[in-house]
Amino acid sequence: MASEERIRATYWLHCPPSDASREAEELCLEQTVEVPGELVKEGWIRDHIVGRIERCRQYQGFFEVEVSFSPDITACTLTGLLNVLYGNISLKKGIYLSALSLPGSFVSSFQGPRFGAHGVRDILGVHGRPLLAAPLKPMGKSPQELGALCYELACGGIDLIKDDHGITDQSFSPFRERVKECIAAVRRAEEATGRRVLYFPCVNSDFEDMERHIRWAVRQGVGGLLISPFITGLAFMKYLAASRFAGVPLMAHPALTGSFFQGPGQGIDQAVLLGTLMRLAGADLVIYPNFCGRFPFTGPQCLSINKALSEPLFGIKEALPVPAGGMSLENIPALRGFYGDEVVFLVGSSLFLRRASLRENASYFLSLVKKEGEGSKELRPPLTKP
Amino acid sequence: MASEERIRATYWLHCPPSDASREAEELCLEQTVEVPGELVKEGWIRDHIVGRIERCRQYQGFFEVEVSFSPDITACTLTGLLNVLYGNISLKKGIYLSALSLPGSFVSSFQGPRFGAHGVRDILGVHGRPLLAAPLKPMGKSPQELGALCYELACGGIDLIKDDHGITDQSFSPFRERVKECIAAVRRAEEATGRRVLYFPCVNSDFEDMERHIRWAVRQGVGGLLISPFITGLAFMKYLAASRFAGVPLMAHPALTGSFFQGPGQGIDQAVLLGTLMRLAGADLVIYPNFCGRFPFTGPQCLSINKALSEPLFGIKEALPVPAGGMSLENIPALRGFYGDEVVFLVGSSLFLRRASLRENASYFLSLVKKEGEGSKELRPPLTKP
């Protein structure tokens, strides 16, 4: 198989120089055959199944090793890819997956986002500016109360309204009641303003209920679905994105992914996990922790995710980046300067805290992205509280 | 609601003493309402939805905070529990989930393992000694070759034979062909020896195929199913454990969980994740990295998992611990001394490397657990290679 038709994963190995080549070789075995090298010295399994060290170079304090894998060993599945990339070695120490390059022959087995960035914009009829998103919160409000918030946000000019990802199907906010209220609120607002709004209910649930909830919600006319793929299973989102019954945009939430991003000593690079893998798994929109918010991502980390969501990937559609988590209205002009227009700004508490009505706050938010140059371009101190 | 009817999670916060109470309060908000405290100062949401600090004490360098949550906010789902325990705060730094205590009212929504430790032993008719497990490997062997290995292992005395967890439905080892070969091998061996053997095919796959594979495999008569819940989604295993169509024991593999276990500075305690959560999600057998193998778990970490798999949990059946990952035959007597009899020893490479036939090696393995006191009780240097 031509080398360019292989999956290429770059790892950082934190080990003494004398151990580097042995550690790299053991990684190639651990992620594939799971036997010592002496049991696969030569032959088809050694040549075709065992990972291959393509390149190894030393940096200060660690080694960067590029390993290639045959796509065949993943059975061209997302689950197979996850396992080959980081299944067993996640359990070791000092191995970081820093980059991933997938060959066209592998990617062609995936559909990726059904709508993608352009598709979502086409549904909304909004181009040339950042999209605006806002959450319905806090958990504990009744479906009627959340529906009322939804109406105000929609009238004010928010494009995408999502449930907080912890709001699921609780006794105090049953899924169906909430979805009905919010769809009705969005319809009323659309009639009043003539502007399209998409409501994304949170569909996270145990398996027994999730598909049933989704089928019902899509029939009711939800604008999209919010899902936390590392809570429900990443492969389930891929299944939704390719299914007939869930033909609406999917917004992915990063809950439970944080332990992978604790630094370059161990884990998976945020651009690989929240960028490439989320996109491959069919997310049309990917929420991640914005820098200068209450989570410790940096600006360059955020841009690396955006790049992975939009760079050419063998015909897989681009996904929209959704920085969130302590986004402040004050920072929107500066953030627009930083991110450009191909982004969704998800603002929560800052919308609810501003001293005007929620509808006025939403309108103000819209005004910030409608007029180039309005507002301070300087980043203000972050919102550090939830 | 009575305090004992709440979910109790213990976190270690790594922060300066002056920040501790603010950090604890923000955790309670972040995991529930996701708004600053000033938006939920009082009332039903503050009392019922926001997490409650039950206890906070300082240790050297960190704070131990016990937080309680109302089970209602999880909608009594596994996905809801995962999200409340560690969804958003996984994305922060310096927060470690060290312990979990669940109330009976919450646990009663879960079935847990269908068979449990006793059920698996009853199927096998083996009591009073550790069970023996072995993998079929390496990836790349044909279904016929794997079937032949399966026969030898079964004749030699292995109780539970599983696919390596990377072997799924590859072109070089199609799932159905492999399952047919291995079931036939097990049947022949059972007839020859009169001893029951269970074969666990690896069912990891993308959603489109997984349930179909499982339904088919169970109809063919597999002894159990091997699944990596953090690859496929933990809730999917729970669904299987409660389903009508997958009425065989489930063996859970820890692939992709390692980033949670990088130390007490961040992540989730192994006894919570591989113990309580795997058991709650219905694993009858839980594989984890043995100490003195090639993964960095310690002996006390392993025992903490065993405890979580077997301690009383409101009628939820006990699950069997399966230490694995560089288990050496030489160490089996000592490991039996360490773990006792309520354990499954999963030995891979050491069985394949010993200089005798595979069947003889399996018989030797069985002899080590049949006779009390045989072999050295001293732990030998670990097998560090895959």
Side-chain angles (χ1 to χ4, degrees):
Chain A
M1 176 179 291
S3 201
E4 65 272 20
E5 284 302 309
R6 291 171 67 85
I7 294 165
R8 287 165 172 269
T10 305
Y11 297 96
W12 292 355
L13 305 183
H14 300 266
C15 62
S18 57
D19 294 349
S21 74
R22 181 181 53 78
E23 294 246 340
E25 170 69 12
E26 284 177 10
L27 185 154
C28 292
L29 297 166
E30 185 72 60
Q31 294 305 94
T32 56
V33 289
E34 290 189 68
V35 294
E38 60 195 283
L39 287 178
V40 284
K41 274 189 183 141
E42 55 182 18
W44 186 81
I45 291 180
R46 162 58 70 174
D47 297 341
H48 193 75
I49 304 293
V50 175
R52 188 191 296 161
I53 301 170
E54 299 282 351
R55 207 168 287 124
C56 183
R57 36 183 197 172
Q58 184 169 4
Y59 286 92
Q60 282 189 329
F62 68 93
F63 288 82
E64 184 182 81
V65 183
E66 187 179 298
V67 175
S68 75
F69 298 104
S70 162
D72 293 354
I73 65 178
T74 68
C76 290
T77 59
L78 188 65
T79 44
L81 179 67
L82 283 173
N83 187 56
V84 164
L85 291 176
Y86 210 62
N88 266 14
I89 54 170
S90 76
L91 292 154
K92 294 196 161 187
K93 294 215 183 274
I95 302 178
Y96 178 73
L97 173 60
S98 70
L100 172 65
S101 170
L102 299 168
S105 60
F106 177 83
V107 173
S108 65
S109 301
F110 291 79
Q111 295 188 257
R114 187 193 301 256
F115 297 90
H118 301 297
V120 172
R121 284 187 177 281
D122 287 346
I123 296 172
L124 288 165
V126 176
H127 299 85
R129 66 156 171 86
L131 298 177
L132 307 191
L136 301 177
K137 57 168 64 175
M139 183 198 289
K141 283 198 182 290
S142 70
Q144 292 70 30
E145 290 170 316
L146 294 172
L149 294 178
C150 189
Y151 180 71
E152 294 301 313
L153 291 165
C155 286
I158 303 298
D159 303 301
L160 309 162
I161 299 172
K162 63 171 269 293
D163 290 341
D164 234 11
H165 77 290
I167 302 179
T168 57
D169 189 29
Q170 291 98 341
S171 55
F172 50 78
S173 185
F175 181 79
R176 293 192 177 201
E177 256 187 74
R178 184 174 77 251
V179 169
K180 277 184 189 166
E181 291 287 339
C182 292
I183 289 178
V186 159
R187 293 282 171 274
R188 286 200 310 278
E190 284 179 333
E191 278 166 30
T193 66
R195 210 170 30 214
R196 190 75 195 273
V197 178
L198 303 180
Y199 165 59
F200 289 67
C202 174
V203 297
N204 292 341
S205 189
D206 285 2
F207 246 80
E208 299 81 335
D209 299 316
M210 200 155 45
E211 185 168 327
R212 192 162 41 82
H213 278 173
I214 290 168
R215 287 179 181 272
W216 177 87
V218 171
R219 283 198 308 268
Q220 297 295 307
V222 294
L225 303 168
L226 176 76
I227 191 163
S228 303
F230 279 76
I231 296 279
T232 63
L234 190 62
F236 185 73
M237 183 168 73
K238 180 192 165 215
Y239 165 69
L240 286 184
S243 75
R244 290 195 184 177
F245 64 85
V248 294
L250 302 179
M251 187 185 291
H253 187 284
L256 205 63
T257 61
S259 292
F260 292 110
F261 312 137
Q262 292 295 312
Q266 209 275 346
I268 300 179
D269 186 87
Q270 71 283 338
V272 173
L273 198 149
L274 299 180
T276 309
L277 293 176
M278 287 289 203
R279 184 179 173 195
L280 204 62
D284 297 286
L285 306 110
V286 178
I287 300 174
Y288 61 78
N290 185 42
F291 78 110
C292 78
R294 66 182 189 272
F295 296 96
F297 271 35
T298 65
Q301 283 183 301
C302 295
L303 290 183
S304 74
I305 297 170
N306 294 18
K307 180 169 176 284
L309 292 176
S310 62
E311 69 191 354
L313 187 62
F314 302 102
I316 296 286
K317 293 192 176 94
E318 296 178 24
L320 275 165
V322 188
M327 299 275 288
S328 149
L329 286 174
E330 284 177 313
N331 281 338
I332 292 298
L335 289 172
R336 188 179 188 184
F338 182 83
Y339 283 116
D341 285 344
E342 290 310 313
V343 65
V344 181
F345 290 134
L346 171 54
V347 175
S349 300
S350 177
L351 268 181
F352 290 89
L353 282 167
R354 190 169 174 266
R355 298 201 177 278
S357 76
L358 189 57
R359 190 189 301 204
E360 284 168 331
N361 295 348
S363 299
Y364 173 67
F365 184 14
L366 180 59
S367 75
L368 292 175
V369 299
K370 273 206 157 167
K371 289 181 204 150
E372 185 70 57
E374 184 176 329
S376 163
K377 292 256 174 170
E378 226 170 278
L379 283 172
R380 304 286 286 274
L383 267 185
T384 55
K385 294 178 190 173
Chain B
M1 174 179 295
S3 202
E4 64 273 21
E5 283 303 307
R6 290 171 67 86
I7 295 166
R8 288 166 172 267
T10 306
Y11 298 96
W12 292 356
L13 305 183
H14 300 267
C15 63
S18 57
D19 295 350
S21 74
R22 183 181 52 77
E23 293 246 341
E25 170 68 12
E26 285 177 10
L27 185 154
C28 292
L29 297 165
E30 184 72 59
Q31 294 306 95
T32 56
V33 289
E34 291 188 67
V35 295
E38 61 195 281
L39 288 179
V40 283
K41 274 189 186 141
E42 53 182 20
W44 186 81
I45 291 182
R46 162 58 70 175
D47 296 341
H48 193 74
I49 305 293
V50 175
R52 187 190 297 160
I53 300 171
E54 299 283 351
R55 206 167 289 125
C56 183
R57 38 183 195 171
Q58 184 170 3
Y59 286 93
Q60 281 190 329
F62 69 93
F63 288 81
E64 184 182 80
V65 183
E66 187 179 298
V67 175
S68 74
F69 299 104
S70 162
D72 293 355
I73 66 178
T74 68
C76 290
T77 60
L78 188 65
T79 46
L81 179 67
L82 282 173
N83 187 57
V84 164
L85 290 176
Y86 209 64
N88 267 14
I89 53 168
S90 75
L91 291 154
K92 296 198 159 186
K93 293 212 185 278
I95 303 177
Y96 178 73
L97 173 59
S98 70
L100 172 65
S101 169
L102 299 169
S105 60
F106 177 83
V107 173
S108 65
S109 300
F110 292 79
Q111 296 188 258
R114 186 194 301 257
F115 297 89
H118 301 298
V120 171
R121 284 187 178 280
D122 286 345
I123 297 172
L124 287 165
V126 177
H127 299 85
R129 66 157 170 86
L131 296 177
L132 307 191
L136 300 177
K137 58 168 67 178
M139 182 197 290
K141 284 199 182 289
S142 69
Q144 291 70 31
E145 289 169 318
L146 294 172
L149 293 178
C150 190
Y151 181 70
E152 294 300 313
L153 291 166
C155 286
I158 304 299
D159 303 300
L160 308 162
I161 299 172
K162 63 172 268 293
D163 290 340
D164 235 10
H165 76 289
I167 301 179
T168 56
D169 189 28
Q170 292 98 342
S171 55
F172 50 79
S173 186
F175 181 77
R176 293 193 177 202
E177 256 186 74
R178 185 175 74 253
V179 169
K180 278 185 189 168
E181 291 287 340
C182 292
I183 288 178
V186 159
R187 292 284 171 274
R188 284 200 310 277
E190 286 179 332
E191 278 167 31
T193 66
R195 207 167 34 210
R196 191 77 195 274
V197 178
L198 302 179
Y199 164 60
F200 289 68
C202 173
V203 297
N204 293 341
S205 189
D206 286 1
F207 245 81
E208 300 81 333
D209 299 318
M210 202 155 42
E211 185 167 327
R212 193 162 37 84
H213 278 174
I214 291 167
R215 285 179 183 272
W216 178 86
V218 171
R219 283 199 306 270
Q220 297 295 308
V222 294
L225 303 168
L226 175 76
I227 192 162
S228 304
F230 279 75
I231 297 279
T232 62
L234 190 62
F236 184 74
M237 184 168 72
K238 180 191 165 217
Y239 165 67
L240 285 184
S243 75
R244 289 195 185 177
F245 63 86
V248 294
L250 302 179
M251 188 186 291
H253 186 283
L256 205 65
T257 60
S259 293
F260 292 108
F261 312 136
Q262 292 295 311
Q266 209 274 346
I268 301 179
D269 187 87
Q270 70 283 337
V272 173
L273 199 148
L274 298 180
T276 309
L277 293 175
M278 287 289 203
R279 183 179 173 194
L280 204 61
D284 297 285
L285 306 110
V286 178
I287 300 174
Y288 62 77
N290 185 42
F291 78 109
C292 79
R294 65 183 190 271
F295 297 96
F297 272 35
T298 64
Q301 284 183 300
C302 295
L303 289 184
S304 74
I305 298 170
N306 293 18
K307 178 168 177 287
L309 293 177
S310 62
E311 68 192 353
L313 187 62
F314 302 103
I316 297 285
K317 293 192 177 91
E318 296 180 23
L320 275 165
V322 188
M327 299 273 289
S328 149
L329 286 175
E330 284 177 314
N331 281 338
I332 292 299
L335 289 171
R336 190 180 186 184
F338 183 81
Y339 284 115
D341 285 344
E342 288 311 310
V343 65
V344 181
F345 290 134
L346 170 54
V347 175
S349 300
S350 177
L351 269 182
F352 290 89
L353 282 166
R354 188 167 175 267
R355 295 198 180 282
S357 75
L358 188 58
R359 188 187 303 201
E360 284 168 331
N361 295 347
S363 299
Y364 174 67
F365 184 13
L366 181 59
S367 76
L368 292 175
V369 299
K370 275 206 157 167
K371 290 182 205 148
E372 186 69 56
E374 183 175 332
S376 162
K377 291 255 171 169
E378 228 170 275
L379 282 171
R380 304 286 287 274
L383 267 185
T384 56
K385 295 176 186 172

